[in-house]
Amino acid sequence: MLKPKHIDHTIPVKKSSVAVIGSGFSGLSAAAYLAKAGHRVNVYEKNIEIGGRSRQMVEEGYTFDMGPSWYWMPEVFENFFNDFGYKASDFYELKQLDPGFTVVFGKSDVLNIPADYAALESLFESIEHGSAVQLKLFLEEAAYKYRTGMNKLVHKPGLSLLEFADWDLIKGVFRLQVFTSFSKHVRRFFKDPRLITLMEFPVLFLGAMPQDTPALYSLMNYAGLKLGTWYPKGGFGKVIEGMQKVCEAHGVVFHTNSPVSHLQVANGKIEKVGTKHGEDDYDGVIASADYHHVEQQLLDEANRNYSADYWEKRVIAPSSLIFYLGVNRKIEKLEHHTLFFDADLKLHATEIYKDPKWPTKPLFYVCCPSKSDDSVAPDGHENLFILMPLAPGIQDTEALRAEYFELIMERLEAYTGVPIRTAIDYKKSYCVNDFKTDYNSFKGNAYGLANTLMQTAHLKPSIKNKKVKNLFYTGQLTVPGPGVPPSIISGKVSSKLLIQYLNHK
């Protein structure tokens, strides 16, 4: 069994008992830091498997990551394990992908994004004269935002504007471009529509129209284009497994198939957490489950931060239509990550955010991890994860799933030159209704809260319950925001606040 390598010398004299609701990245992160600080931690997970959206599904020789598939910002993962005396390599092998990803604009119009930066500059220059210099300038600005964001912003709990009364932040506020449109910012540097689309795709997938997203988020371009795209061998489930081992080494106890049914509050504090197995007493709670669900279903109205009307007015990140496919032949033309942008980005974005409907001609994404990892598919087979961003809260039927499967496969087969449909030996779909059922996800969202200006930093749903003093929230509906690295950081931030409360109560 894994032994703890790092003991926190600020362990409280009397251990407090803490419940963490949910075992996704933010929940595992919070549980680990709380246990390291000496508290007794129990994690309640409604599903049979640990991992939340990053669960794995093993079927007929295929291992599917059910959720996240992009490993960006590797230092965030490394920092988590370092905090407990480990390295990421103690738990999984990390491989840099080259190309990092591929963007398909048409059958013969394909961009392979190289891992080598000089090659990336050459690629940009071949598309638009002068764009290599522009890329350098763009990424220099993005690097500043990334360093400032990762070192200054993302670790702040967002409880007060005073948190941002930092001289470096104040003097750099214009360079951070919080009030500048991402769309306008990109167009200052590039004119070719393919380069614009390449720069805008991360914000589309993380939850807003590019024109409604602050240019601050060009830090995502720096992460993807300069820091590289990586893959943990065995899939994201290996990262979850590593974090679970860290938790268990520090005494965390996991309760699967144990959805929380209610939180009993008395005198402004949660005293009991109820499941189908009964009630248990706790000194503090971290809710890594869907924020809206916790507020609307587990708390009485008097103890909620926000009303149902508040939630209806939030801009929610997309849901997704996902297909998990096992294919009994190789598909040579696919890379590990392939983005199909052979359709109108603006139209699809509008049909997610402004005029919610099933898309007229969707963009979609294909992950083929068997290109990098023989362990996720039988020999000679391919493992495909196909994702189409979709408006949250939209109608989800089997008929619509089937219709869009055929639409997507027609384009995928035309590009690859392979009759994939006749080679499928495993197929499962996943959409809005499944996100609701499996994760109690608000409107069936896949990514949490959109990164708009009015939902940035202290304007996001509060990480702290304002009426229940020992209840804190974590994950992609609160600070710092959607994505795997932010969720890991969110768990650390929320755990720190609860530790402070427990040490001074």
Side-chain angles (χ1 to χ4, degrees):
M1 183 176 172
L2 192 69
K3 300 294 183 184
K5 290 188 178 182
H6 189 295
I7 302 298
D8 195 324
H9 297 291
T10 62
I11 291 175
V13 175
K14 180 183 178 183
K15 289 185 178 181
S16 296
S17 186
V18 176
V20 175
I21 306 171
S23 68
F25 279 108
S26 65
L28 291 173
S29 174
Y33 286 108
L34 284 159
K36 175 186 161 188
H39 300 290
R40 294 188 300 270
V41 181
N42 284 269
V43 176
Y44 293 94
E45 169 56 53
K46 77 178 290 289
N47 294 308
I48 296 170
E49 312 90 351
I50 297 296
R53 285 168 169 78
S54 285
R55 295 179 298 154
Q56 283 191 323
M57 177 175 63
V58 180
E59 295 284 351
E60 300 180 25
Y62 298 96
T63 300
F64 297 98
D65 279 328
M66 294 191 72
S69 59
W70 292 79
Y71 195 106
W72 279 0
M73 307 183 189
E75 79 280 4
V76 174
F77 300 85
E78 197 64 53
N79 289 342
F80 171 82
F81 290 113
N82 290 171
D83 281 346
F84 299 90
Y86 303 103
K87 303 184 297 293
S89 59
D90 292 329
F91 303 98
Y92 52 88
E93 178 186 339
L94 203 58
K95 174 184 180 179
Q96 185 170 13
L97 301 180
D98 190 13
F101 55 97
T102 296
V103 187
V104 175
F105 294 102
K107 192 167 184 178
S108 58
D109 189 2
V110 179
L111 300 184
N112 288 309
I113 308 305
D116 178 71
Y117 181 68
L120 181 66
E121 285 188 316
S122 297
L123 174 64
F124 269 61
E125 192 65 25
S126 71
I127 295 168
E128 180 181 316
H129 179 66
S131 66
V133 172
Q134 292 297 93
L135 176 65
K136 180 174 182 291
L137 295 172
F138 183 94
L139 290 180
E140 282 175 354
E141 286 193 11
Y144 171 80
K145 296 171 193 172
Y146 184 86
R147 289 191 298 268
T148 304
M150 299 308 290
N151 295 328
K152 296 276 189 181
L153 296 177
V154 298
H155 292 277
K156 295 184 182 299
L159 297 174
S160 167
L161 264 176
L162 293 176
E163 293 171 17
F164 305 96
D166 174 297
W167 178 241
D168 287 335
L169 285 178
I170 292 169
K171 70 180 182 182
V173 67
F174 295 107
R175 290 185 67 187
L176 290 174
Q177 296 184 299
V178 174
F179 304 106
T180 302
S181 156
F182 187 92
S183 180
K184 288 181 180 178
H185 178 63
V186 169
R187 284 162 176 77
R188 278 183 49 218
F189 292 87
F190 309 107
K191 298 293 183 285
D192 189 282
R194 291 168 296 173
L195 296 184
I196 291 170
T197 296
L198 171 63
M199 305 310 269
E200 288 186 340
F201 99 83
V203 300
L204 172 70
F205 278 80
L206 282 178
M209 295 280 286
Q211 58 264 41
D212 297 330
T213 301
L216 167 69
Y217 289 101
S218 65
L219 63 86
M220 295 295 299
N221 301 109
Y222 176 77
L225 298 178
K226 204 69 185 284
L227 300 182
T229 302
W230 302 76
Y231 171 73
K233 189 170 182 182
F236 266 80
K238 293 297 180 184
V239 187
I240 290 290
E241 188 179 295
M243 293 179 73
Q244 181 180 356
K245 287 178 178 177
V246 169
C247 286
E248 290 175 337
H250 287 79
V252 175
V253 177
F254 289 89
H255 306 270
T256 55
N257 194 24
S258 297
V260 172
S261 57
H262 63 278
L263 300 171
Q264 183 176 312
V265 178
N267 301 315
K269 295 188 297 183
I270 291 176
E271 293 188 343
K272 294 181 184 295
V273 173
T275 69
K276 63 185 179 183
H277 306 294
E279 291 184 334
D280 290 291
D281 298 335
Y282 287 101
D283 300 298
V285 174
I286 296 244
S288 173
D290 182 271
Y291 197 136
H292 172 267
H293 170 76
V294 173
E295 291 250 302
Q296 299 296 313
Q297 302 300 323
L298 305 187
L299 290 172
D300 293 334
E301 186 173 354
N303 295 315
R304 299 170 188 165
N305 272 348
Y306 305 107
S307 66
D309 184 57
Y310 168 89
W311 286 106
E312 287 298 325
K313 292 178 180 176
R314 296 312 92 194
V315 181
I316 302 299
S319 184
S320 299
L321 171 62
I322 302 171
F323 296 102
Y324 308 99
L325 303 181
V327 181
N328 63 17
R329 60 169 294 172
K330 303 304 283 186
I331 307 172
E332 298 302 328
K333 205 168 178 183
L334 281 180
E335 297 290 349
H336 189 116
H337 295 299
T338 306
L339 294 154
F340 284 81
F341 278 30
D342 51 337
D344 186 344
L345 170 65
K346 185 175 181 181
L347 175 62
H348 191 166
T350 299
E351 291 173 343
I352 293 174
Y353 299 107
K354 303 295 186 185
D355 181 22
K357 63 175 66 172
W358 281 75
T360 304
K361 190 175 182 185
L363 312 177
F364 61 95
Y365 154 65
V366 180
C367 181
C368 186
S370 46
K371 289 290 177 183
S372 309
D373 187 352
D374 293 336
S375 73
V376 300
D379 188 41
H381 293 223
E382 299 283 29
N383 174 321
L384 300 185
F385 169 101
I386 301 174
L387 180 149
M388 181 186 84
L390 189 63
I394 205 164
Q395 180 190 30
D396 170 18
T397 68
E398 289 300 324
L400 282 164
R401 296 186 192 196
E403 176 186 338
Y404 277 80
F405 177 74
E406 296 301 326
L407 187 155
I408 288 169
M409 294 307 294
E410 284 172 12
R411 284 162 60 191
L412 183 58
E413 289 179 349
Y415 171 72
T416 61
V418 174
I420 297 170
R421 280 172 283 190
T422 61
I424 292 171
D425 58 8
Y426 179 80
K427 176 186 173 186
K428 178 182 174 67
S429 66
Y430 202 93
C431 198
V432 173
N433 293 344
D434 300 296
F435 281 104
K436 291 177 180 178
T437 298
D438 288 351
Y439 311 122
N440 294 313
S441 171
F442 181 49
K443 296 187 177 181
N445 80 80
Y447 305 106
L449 200 70
N451 281 324
T452 64
L453 174 59
M454 296 308 294
Q455 294 180 165
T456 296
H458 68 289
L459 298 176
K460 291 183 185 290
S462 177
I463 200 168
K464 181 183 189 308
N465 189 291
K466 301 162 189 174
K467 300 169 184 177
V468 183
K469 52 193 170 187
N470 63 345
L471 172 59
F472 298 85
Y473 303 89
T474 188
Q476 50 191 11
L477 281 167
T478 185
V479 292
V484 174
S487 290
I488 293 173
I489 293 167
S490 181
K492 183 175 184 178
V493 174
S494 63
S495 69
K496 183 177 180 181
L497 293 173
L498 180 52
I499 290 166
Q500 290 172 349
Y501 165 78
L502 294 171
N503 286 348
H504 295 96
K505 67 182 178 69

